[in-house]
């Protein structure tokens, strides 16, 4: 009490009146008669916020100013609610003199003075806040719409409880309904492809341990019908507990099956012949280099056979290129079926094939070539014009073995077979 009495003296002047203090408030203040709902007093903001004068405000009641209170019965219910609470909060709209609405949040308390009851209402203009909230809600809806249309799935993992939220988009991606997929980590981890799961879990743990800026992985995950999708999964820890441990991790999953399939096809095309599915010249060259090094190191012979389809131009001229392509495909398949699994058959170019046979000398390679020649004649016996092959065989062993010599020897032997009348096998001269 002594401190309160000394305050005016400390300020050096008398305190301003209560009415003047209220006139400097940023919020509108109304003193209301509970029985009639009439406004009996208001501060400056009370009438300025509505485009009125002081006298105009005092001629109004709550019913004429507040658009969301209709009639005395509703006011009576609101008055009872005010009397039953320490502070009654109401969100409504005030009518402005110029015809527009003012969004307000009204907090009302009750008090008694000289035996008479009053309501004191403080109304705050929340028009800008409501507009900002509406804009934020609209933007959130737009964001969720964009995410939904993009088809990416979202996940939200609460590490401490193990709860894992799967978005409807993610469930749909995997073929499930919105009320399916148990919200636990195992629902996800048990469906990751067995060959990928260890790598994926290691990537997730590395991020959670702070070793990586974010978690990111490409892997296969099983959908509802048992097939596997390729997905690109990425996420980050977004919340930590008091000890600095990850508490929440969120991420996004994108279906990349189409892209991954194309990648695998391109990889296969890089080493496979598009027409026959056999190894192409690039893969054949790589295999030949590797086998030369291996056979040199182990002291083993390496056999090589050049195969050419006889008179192939005549087949194209008489039957057309589509038939010619089918002939190449059939010959390639016959040759592949006639050699060992450890041997490589590749399409060297055009109508030419090459067979690389590790640990095979020239005589055994000649026998293999003859078997292939007879097999082609048998499998394509009904073809018009006839389909036959000529084969040149070479072999080398020891440290003196080199790729150019092998290829030159087989090519020279093939030329010899063609010069000898075609549809035959010729062996390279031994050095």
């Amino acid at each position: 009490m002594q401190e309160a009495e000394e305050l005016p003296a400390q300020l050096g002047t008398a305190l301003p009146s209560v009415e003047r203090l209220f006139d400097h408030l940023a919020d509108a203040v109304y003193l209301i008669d509970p029985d009639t709902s009439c406004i009996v007093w208001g501060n400056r903001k009370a009438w300025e916020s509505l485009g009125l004068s002081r006298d105009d405000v005092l001629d109004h009641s709550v019913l004429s100013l507040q658009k969301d209170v209709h009639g005395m019965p509703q006011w009576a219910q609101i008055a009872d609610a005010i009397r039953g609470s320490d502070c009654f909060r109401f969100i409504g709209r005030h009518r402005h003199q110029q015809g527009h609405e003012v969004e307000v949040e009204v907090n009302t308390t009750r008090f008694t003075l000289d035996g008479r009851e009053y309501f004191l209402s403080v109304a705050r203009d929340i028009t800008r806040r409501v507009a900002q909230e509406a804009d934020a809600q609209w933007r959130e809806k737009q964001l969720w719409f964009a995410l939904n249309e993009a088809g990416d799935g979202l996940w939200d993992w609460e590490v401490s409880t193990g709860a894992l939220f799967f978005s409807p988009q993610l469930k749909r991606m995997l073929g499930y309904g919105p009320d399916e997929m148990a919200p636990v980590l195992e629902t996800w981890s048990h469906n990751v492809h067995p060959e990928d799961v260890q790598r994926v879990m290691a990537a997730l743990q590395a991020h959670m341990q702070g070793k990586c800026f974010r978690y990111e992985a490409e892997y296969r995950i099983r959908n509802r019908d048992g097939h596997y999708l390729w997905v690109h999964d990425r996420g980050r820890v977004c919340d930590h507990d008091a000890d600095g441990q990850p508490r929440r991790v969120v991420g996004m999953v994108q279906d990349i099956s189409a892209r991954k399939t194309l990648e695998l096809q391109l990889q296969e095309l890089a080493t496979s012949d598009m027409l026959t599915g056999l190894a192409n010249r690039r893969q054949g060259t790589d295999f030949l280099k590797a086998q030369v090094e291996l056979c040199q190191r182990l002291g083993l012979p390496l056999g090589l056979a050049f195969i050419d389809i006889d008179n192939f131009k005549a087949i194209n001229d008489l039957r057309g290129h589509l038939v010619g392509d089918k002939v190449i495909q059939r010959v390639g398949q016959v040759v592949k079926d006639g050699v060992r699994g450890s041997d490589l058959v590749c399409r060297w170019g055009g109508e030419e094939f090459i067979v690389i046979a590790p640990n095979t000398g020239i005589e055994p390679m000649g026998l293999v070539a003859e078997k292939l020649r007879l097999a082609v004649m048998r499998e394509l016996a009904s073809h018009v014009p006839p389909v036959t092959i000529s084969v040149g065989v070479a072999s080398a062993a020891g440290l003196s073995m080199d790729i150019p010599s092998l290829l030159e020897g087989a090519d020279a032997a093939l030329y010899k077979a063609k010069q000898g009348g075609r549809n035959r096998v010729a062996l390279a001269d031994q050095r």
Side-chain angles (χ1 to χ4, degrees):
M1 288 297 296
Q2 185 178 0
E3 291 180 0
E5 292 172 354
E6 292 177 354
L7 185 58
Q10 293 172 359
L11 291 174
T13 183
L15 287 172
S17 66
V18 173
E19 188 168 352
R20 181 172 293 183
L21 288 174
F22 272 101
D23 281 344
H24 285 84
L25 284 177
D27 296 330
V29 181
Y30 302 92
L31 189 63
I32 303 168
D33 182 344
D35 295 329
T36 64
S37 80
C38 290
I39 298 170
V40 298
W41 178 86
N43 68 345
R44 183 185 300 276
K45 194 69 175 181
W47 63 77
E48 289 183 348
S49 64
L50 301 175
L52 299 172
S53 67
R54 179 180 182 277
D55 293 337
D56 290 333
V57 166
L58 297 181
D59 287 337
H60 282 278
S61 76
V62 172
L63 301 179
S64 61
L65 290 182
Q66 178 60 260
K67 294 194 66 174
D68 297 289
V69 180
H70 308 287
M72 288 303 295
Q74 185 182 0
W75 169 250
Q77 293 176 356
I78 293 174
D80 288 340
I82 294 172
R83 293 184 181 102
S85 63
D86 293 333
C87 180
F88 179 78
R89 179 171 174 266
F90 184 80
I91 304 295
R93 297 166 295 164
H94 282 176
R95 290 183 175 91
H96 195 277
Q97 180 67 15
Q98 295 181 355
H100 63 270
E101 300 172 354
V102 180
E103 301 277 353
V104 291
E105 178 184 78
V106 184
N107 290 281
T108 303
T109 56
R110 168 188 173 275
F111 70 95
T112 303
L113 181 64
D114 296 332
R116 184 177 177 183
E117 184 183 41
Y118 294 97
F119 288 166
L120 186 64
S121 293
V122 179
R124 173 163 294 179
D125 185 343
I126 59 171
T127 305
R128 181 176 296 179
R129 189 180 80 191
V130 170
Q132 290 173 341
E133 289 175 352
D135 182 66
Q137 290 175 359
W138 179 83
R139 292 181 184 278
E140 184 176 358
K141 288 180 180 179
Q142 291 296 101
L143 175 61
W144 278 101
F145 176 79
L147 290 173
N148 185 63
E149 289 303 304
D152 295 338
L154 304 177
W155 52 268
D156 188 337
W157 180 28
E158 191 174 333
V159 181
S160 58
T161 64
L164 183 58
F165 165 78
F166 301 102
S167 72
Q169 299 94 319
L170 180 54
K171 293 179 180 181
R172 185 172 64 245
M173 182 192 302
L174 298 177
Y176 293 95
D179 299 323
E180 297 181 286
M181 294 182 66
V184 293
L185 183 65
E186 289 72 21
T187 301
W188 164 72
S189 60
H190 288 174
N191 284 295
V192 176
H193 195 285
E195 296 178 1
D196 300 335
V197 65
Q198 185 175 357
R199 170 176 55 83
V200 173
M201 296 304 293
L204 179 59
Q205 288 301 317
H207 170 61
M208 295 184 66
Q209 293 168 5
K211 299 177 181 178
C212 302
F213 176 69
R214 68 177 178 180
Y215 154 71
E216 187 167 9
E218 290 186 1
Y219 58 88
R220 291 160 288 180
I221 188 167
R222 184 173 56 238
N223 65 5
R224 184 173 199 154
D225 62 9
H227 290 85
Y228 282 94
L229 304 176
W230 273 100
V231 296
H232 181 202
D233 191 4
R234 57 200 181 278
R236 287 188 63 187
V237 174
C238 65
D239 190 22
H240 295 81
D241 61 20
D243 297 325
Q245 296 302 310
R247 181 159 53 192
R248 184 174 171 218
V249 191
V250 296
M252 178 180 292
V253 178
Q254 181 183 19
D255 184 353
I256 60 168
S257 299
R259 174 172 69 80
K260 202 67 178 181
T261 299
L262 180 60
E263 284 182 10
L264 295 175
Q265 288 176 344
L266 291 175
Q267 290 175 6
E268 185 177 352
L269 288 175
T271 57
S272 301
D273 175 61
M274 185 179 298
L275 179 62
T276 63
L278 299 173
N280 62 12
R281 186 165 182 157
R282 176 181 176 181
Q283 186 180 8
T285 301
D286 291 342
F287 183 80
L288 182 57
K289 290 179 180 177
Q291 292 306 312
V292 165
E293 293 175 1
L294 179 65
C295 290
Q296 284 179 336
R297 187 166 63 252
L298 300 179
L300 300 175
L302 179 65
L304 191 70
F306 256 139
I307 300 173
D308 186 80
I309 301 175
D310 296 328
N311 300 312
F312 185 73
K313 184 176 182 303
I315 296 173
N316 272 339
D317 292 343
L318 292 174
R319 303 291 301 276
H321 290 283
L322 289 179
V323 173
D325 287 347
K326 290 181 179 179
V327 168
I328 290 174
Q329 290 172 331
R330 292 184 65 186
V331 170
Q333 190 60 49
V334 170
V335 173
K336 183 178 180 181
D337 292 342
V339 299
R340 303 170 301 182
S342 58
D343 301 338
L344 180 74
V345 178
C346 75
R347 185 183 178 197
W348 199 246
E351 66 274 18
E352 291 183 336
F353 301 88
I354 190 171
V355 178
I356 305 168
N359 195 24
T360 305
I362 193 165
E363 295 296 337
M365 196 68 204
L367 296 177
V368 171
E370 180 63 15
K371 183 182 72 171
L372 296 177
R373 184 187 71 82
L374 295 175
V376 169
M377 288 184 61
R378 182 172 60 253
E379 293 295 325
L380 285 87
S382 60
H383 196 276
V384 178
V387 176
T388 59
I389 59 173
S390 296
V391 187
V393 174
S395 181
L399 296 177
S400 61
M401 182 193 319
D402 64 88
I403 292 175
S405 298
L406 267 173
L407 292 175
E408 289 173 8
D411 189 54
L414 176 61
Y415 180 78
K416 185 192 305 182
K418 286 184 172 294
Q419 288 294 103
R422 295 187 173 84
N423 189 22
R424 64 187 62 216
V425 174
L427 305 184
D429 297 333
Q430 294 298 296
R431 298 178 181 179

